[in-house]
Amino acid sequence: QLHLQESGPGLVTPSETLSLTCTVSGGSISGSSYYWGWIRQPPGKGLEWIGSIYYSGSTYYKPSLKSRVTISLDTSKTQFSLKLSSVTAADTALYYCARLSPYTSSSLFSYYFDYWGQGTLVTVSS
Amino acid sequence: QSVLTQPPSASGTPGQRVTISCSGSSSNIGSNTVNWYQQLPGTAPKLLIYSNNQRPSGVPDRFSGSKSGASASLAISGLQSDDEADYYCAAWDDSMNGPHWVFGGGTKLTVL
């Protein structure tokens, strides 16, 4: 059974860089076809996708966050990481890491988030 | 303001059938599949429906999904008290700004 666990500072100072790591156990992150991603949820609000990284290292980021986001893979440690620079109070949220798995049928090809971490709360405050 | 539009709330009594809608556009639901997630209070989201209408193993067949054009729906039949949760739709968006995942704002389901 795949297990994902987020880790990192729970408090970040405004204008600094938020850094989180997702450790994957029970499976490999270098397996083909899977993406690994970050999603966040501000307190009391909905889900917001931040970005995803393919096993090969190619990345997709939310356009409005692209200038501040970097997602990277460390296959040797079965981890992937999120860096979000120049944070403000608006970046305060519960941050989730998740796996994107492919689905193929005769007429469709799609992805879905199947495994999620439990989430880690990051507060941006001085 | 979420790219995918969901009603903020829905409700039903035990045993009833409820539906939750998710409205998008040609760049997301209109051209890609829809996934649905259930988020129980204080927990991480859980995959409920993928690729419009596919159920992961372990998800009861009381839950079903459908898609028509740029809209999708989640139906829950035989409503139970432990279905009380937030439900989110999601789709890939082939935006000119750069492709990305979009979520609905979420629907809070109350079992009366």
Side-chain angles (χ1 to χ4, degrees):
Chain A
Q1 181 79 351
L2 200 71
H3 182 73
L4 286 74
Q5 179 69 58
E6 306 88 350
S7 60
L11 181 64
V12 181
T13 304
S15 79
E16 297 295 307
T17 296
L18 178 160
S19 295
L20 295 175
T21 296
C22 182
T23 300
V24 179
S25 56
S28 169
I29 65 170
S30 56
S32 63
S33 301
Y34 295 110
Y35 282 86
W36 304 89
W38 290 94
I39 301 101
R40 67 182 182 180
Q41 185 171 34
K45 296 187 177 181
L47 301 171
E48 178 187 24
W49 176 75
I50 300 170
S52 297
I53 186 165
Y54 198 41
Y55 79 101
S56 62
S58 61
T59 52
Y60 288 97
Y61 299 132
K62 180 173 181 174
S64 60
L65 297 174
K66 190 174 183 177
S67 63
R68 300 195 290 131
V69 175
T70 302
I71 296 176
S72 58
L73 273 176
D74 186 337
T75 57
S76 65
K77 295 182 180 179
T78 62
Q79 294 177 336
F80 60 104
S81 300
L82 168 71
K83 291 189 186 299
L84 180 65
S85 64
S86 304
V87 297
T88 69
D91 295 310
T92 293
L94 190 57
Y95 284 76
Y96 293 102
C97 60
R99 187 182 79 169
L100 274 161
S101 288
Y103 171 71
T104 304
S105 69
S106 58
S107 58
L108 289 173
F109 179 74
S110 59
Y111 276 89
Y112 53 90
F113 293 101
D114 55 354
Y115 286 95
W116 296 66
Q118 66 185 25
T120 187
L121 179 63
V122 178
T123 301
V124 178
S125 174
S126 55
Chain B
Q1 191 80 1
S2 300
V3 173
L4 304 182
T5 302
Q6 297 180 237
S9 63
S11 64
T13 56
Q16 260 191 335
R17 182 178 187 270
V18 298
T19 60
I20 297 171
S21 62
C22 176
S23 178
S25 67
S26 58
S27 66
N28 42 65
I29 296 178
S31 52
N32 296 296
T33 61
V34 177
N35 304 322
W36 289 90
Y37 300 90
Q38 177 194 59
Q39 187 175 33
L40 297 169
T43 69
K46 168 193 168 185
L47 178 67
L48 203 58
I49 298 287
Y50 65 95
S51 194
N52 302 330
N53 54 20
Q54 302 297 306
R55 275 187 312 276
S57 60
V59 172
D61 59 6
R62 301 187 297 106
F63 295 90
S64 62
S66 64
K67 185 187 112 167
S68 177
S71 293
S73 291
L74 172 71
I76 309 172
S77 60
L79 199 62
Q80 299 178 358
S81 58
D82 54 5
D83 295 332
E84 194 160 282
D86 293 324
Y87 293 83
Y88 294 90
C89 57
W92 184 246
D93 193 309
D94 298 316
S95 169
M96 293 292 285
N97 293 333
H100 59 284
W101 283 97
V102 290
F103 283 92
T107 298
K108 184 175 185 63
L109 175 64
T110 300
V111 181
L112 302 170

